[in-house]
DNA sequence: TCAATAGTTCGACTACATTCGAACTAGCCG
DNA sequence: CGGCTAGTTCGAATGTAGTCGAACTATTGA
């Protein structure tokens, strides 16, 4: 398959990134990628069909959050950590650190 | 007017906060509140009718981002800085710091 | 060449968001 | 009381997003 067009850092838009991260499925994807490093689409279990997952990966790619590397028929996804941190310092770290509600 | 029900810190949900901040109008509101401190609804100029602004303030209130204090007929709005920072450390700061694209 | 696998794209459906005008509520002041 | 002002709520119109099955593309391997 052909490679994807990933947006350049300068064209990242804060609203778009926040929107991409505001969906539970996508937030779960990003958390898993952040924990496991590069991961294929099918290795993430979100209990949803491929077409749905593909849609969410596209949203994440187009916002600049995720990079997809094609190798044969498999797609290796990773979080664009350095670039996100350069453009929006501290944002990703804050989001990743805020997964769970505090114990009460 | 009667006071609003503001959610408690424990019930803040990350997705909801990110979603609230992912709208340009609401992001503008939050930025203005962060800069100016407590501000009335009408003091914010977003070029939109009252009903639209009221809707956005409600979204911001219900997500926990904004607190509204009623005094007579005017509503004083402010960002719930300490509580947000307690629940999602660094998130608000990162969002507020990321307003503009870098010079290029 | 044929089948299997990984993932995308398309189309349809449903649900929800944004927007705004109009009507409403509540407090203030003459 | 009557009018003014600040802001909410309602309802309708429009747009957009999430979901999924079905069809498709591309690659690997027998």
């Amino acid at each position: 398959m052909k490679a994807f067009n990933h947006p350049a850092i300068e064209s990242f838009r804060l609203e778009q990134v926040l929107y991409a991260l505001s969906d539970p499925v996508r937030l779960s994807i990003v958390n898993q990628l952040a924990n496991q490093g590069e991961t294929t689409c099918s290795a993430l279990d979100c209990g949803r069909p491929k077409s749905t997952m593909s849609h969410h990966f596209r949203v994440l790619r187009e916002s600049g959050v995720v990079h997809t590397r094609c190798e044969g028929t498999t797609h290796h996804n990773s979080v664009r950590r350095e670039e996100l941190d350069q453009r929006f310092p501290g944002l990703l770290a804050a989001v990743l650190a805020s997964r769970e509600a505090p114990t009460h």
Side-chain angles (χ1 to χ4, degrees), chain A:
Chain A
M1 288 180 184
K2 53 185 169 295
F4 292 104
N5 286 339
H6 294 90
I9 302 186
E10 310 88 48
S11 60
F12 288 3
R13 291 196 308 112
L14 177 60
E15 295 95 326
Q16 204 178 346
V17 171
L18 294 175
Y19 182 79
L21 296 173
S22 73
D23 179 272
V25 175
R26 290 193 292 267
L27 196 53
S28 165
I29 290 174
V30 171
N31 271 303
Q32 291 182 65
L33 291 183
N35 290 334
Q36 305 170 20
E38 214 182 36
T39 308
T40 62
C41 296
S42 53
L44 299 172
D45 188 28
C46 294
R48 279 171 173 79
K50 295 192 300 180
S51 56
T52 299
M53 294 304 286
S54 188
H55 163 72
H56 287 304
F57 273 110
R58 186 157 62 91
V59 174
L60 288 170
R61 261 195 309 269
E62 292 179 349
S63 66
V65 176
V66 161
H67 179 89
T68 304
R69 179 174 66 84
C70 300
E71 190 182 271
T73 58
T74 64
H75 291 190
H76 301 269
N77 302 284
S78 55
V79 177
R80 297 176 70 177
R81 242 182 225 278
E82 291 76 13
E83 289 157 299
L84 277 172
D85 216 54
Q86 184 176 334
R87 179 71 181 78
F88 306 121
L91 180 61
L92 183 63
V95 169
L96 293 176
S98 304
R99 302 194 59 178
E100 301 296 333
T103 57
H104 52 280

